[in-house]
Amino acid sequence: MPAQQKKLIFCTAGVLSFACALGSAAAIGTQLWVRGTMLCTTGALLVNASGPELHKFIGEIQYGLFSGQRVRQCGLGGRPSQFSFFPDLLKIIPASIHVSVILFCTVLVVFALVGAGFFMLNAFGSPYETLHGPAGLYLWSFIACSCGCLIMILFSSEVKIHHLSEKIANFKEGTFTFKTHTEQFANSFWTILVCSLVHFLNALLIRFAGFEFPFSKSKDSGTITGAVDLMY
């Protein structure tokens, strides 16, 4: 492939990696990871609410990795409140999973920036070591993509398997009990998914630029060497 086309491909991959780093960093600090509604079952059972009356007992919840907000409805109007995971909710959430999600988010941002830098180096400079050449580009893209996948798996298990929304809604609630009415992942969660797909796309761009996959040898070279040995 001509050098100008390789530069264009590497520049494109570098810009995509840098954009993913910025998007992931922005997603970490937002409260737009999960949105949902919570039903106050205690209040609804007390008045035997059904149909349109249930709307008076359905509140809202929204949170990210560090903080969130909720509006609890128990028939007498909404009670808005803010909460933070550290240190308020550490006793009720799966702390090890939650900290792992934050750690992998940090690693994702770091390696997305590293990948962007080395893509630009390969576009405008000369690779001079294995980790600075195509093998390094595959490595940075693979690590970033893997971290994105782990983030989604761990956070999904935290929300769905460990019922994170219900634990947050029922935090310090001695009288009323809340259950999840609706729950969906919000923009920041899907940003991580897009970033993971972009890093996978970058690996395909490296291959499209004409580089062989790392640690692979051409079969033709071995055949030619064997023929030369037979001649001598």
Side-chain angles (χ1 to χ4, degrees), residues 22-33 64-65 105 187-189 191-192:
L22 294 181
S24 300
I28 293 173
T30 67
Q31 298 181 1
L32 302 177
W33 284 73
L65 298 180
C105 283
N187 298 340
S188 294
F189 180 85
T191 298
I192 300 297

Side-chain angles (χ1 to χ4, degrees), residues 1-230:
M1 179 177 289
Q4 294 297 329
Q5 293 184 20
K6 285 186 178 181
K7 286 184 177 181
L8 179 61
I9 290 175
F10 286 143
C11 285
T12 302
V15 171
L16 290 175
S17 293
F18 185 72
C20 285
L22 294 181
S24 300
I28 293 173
T30 67
Q31 298 181 1
L32 302 177
W33 284 73
V34 175
R35 284 178 175 170
T37 57
M38 310 303 296
L39 173 64
C40 180
T41 56
T42 305
L45 289 173
L46 284 175
V47 299
N48 198 21
S50 61
E53 297 175 347
L54 280 178
H55 290 288
K56 297 180 180 180
F57 300 92
I58 296 177
E60 298 178 353
I61 188 170
Q62 174 180 299
Y63 58 90
L65 298 180
F66 295 97
S67 61
Q69 55 188 353
R70 58 187 176 182
V71 178
R72 290 169 288 186
Q73 295 269 9
C74 292
L76 300 174
R79 294 180 295 157
S81 62
Q82 300 281 338
F83 60 87
S84 60
F85 286 93
F86 304 99
D88 298 341
L89 301 176
L90 280 181
K91 294 182 179 180
I92 64 168
I93 66 171
S96 58
I97 297 178
H98 199 77
V99 172
S100 297
V101 171
I102 296 174
L103 178 62
F104 282 121
C105 283
T106 304
V107 175
L108 173 61
V109 173
V110 170
F111 278 94
L113 290 174
V114 170
F118 280 110
F119 273 117
M120 292 302 178
L121 176 65
N122 280 270
F124 299 104
S126 298
Y128 49 90
E129 290 289 345
T130 301
L131 291 181
H132 295 179
L137 297 180
Y138 285 121
L139 179 62
W140 314 134
S141 299
F142 174 76
I143 292 175
C145 182
S146 299
C147 286
C149 294
L150 287 172
I151 290 167
M152 291 183 293
I153 293 171
L154 290 175
F155 190 75
S156 298
S157 67
E158 185 180 8
V159 174
K160 299 297 183 180
I161 298 177
H162 294 275
H163 306 290
L164 184 61
S165 299
E166 283 189 10
K167 290 181 178 179
I168 294 173
N170 289 286
F171 179 61
K172 291 185 177 180
E173 283 288 342
T175 306
F176 297 99
T177 302
F178 294 86
K179 285 191 175 182
T180 303
H181 186 65
T182 61
E183 187 178 58
Q184 61 184 359
F185 294 107
N187 298 340
S188 294
F189 180 85
W190 300 119
T191 298
I192 300 297
L193 172 62
V194 171
C195 289
S196 301
L197 294 176
V198 167
H199 290 299
F200 180 76
L201 175 63
N202 283 346
L204 297 180
L205 288 177
I206 301 168
R207 183 65 186 88
F208 184 71
F211 283 138
E212 297 291 337
F213 285 102
F215 313 118
S216 64
K217 295 182 179 180
S218 175
K219 295 182 180 179
D220 295 338
S221 61
T223 305
I224 294 174
T225 304
V228 173
D229 291 340
L230 288 175

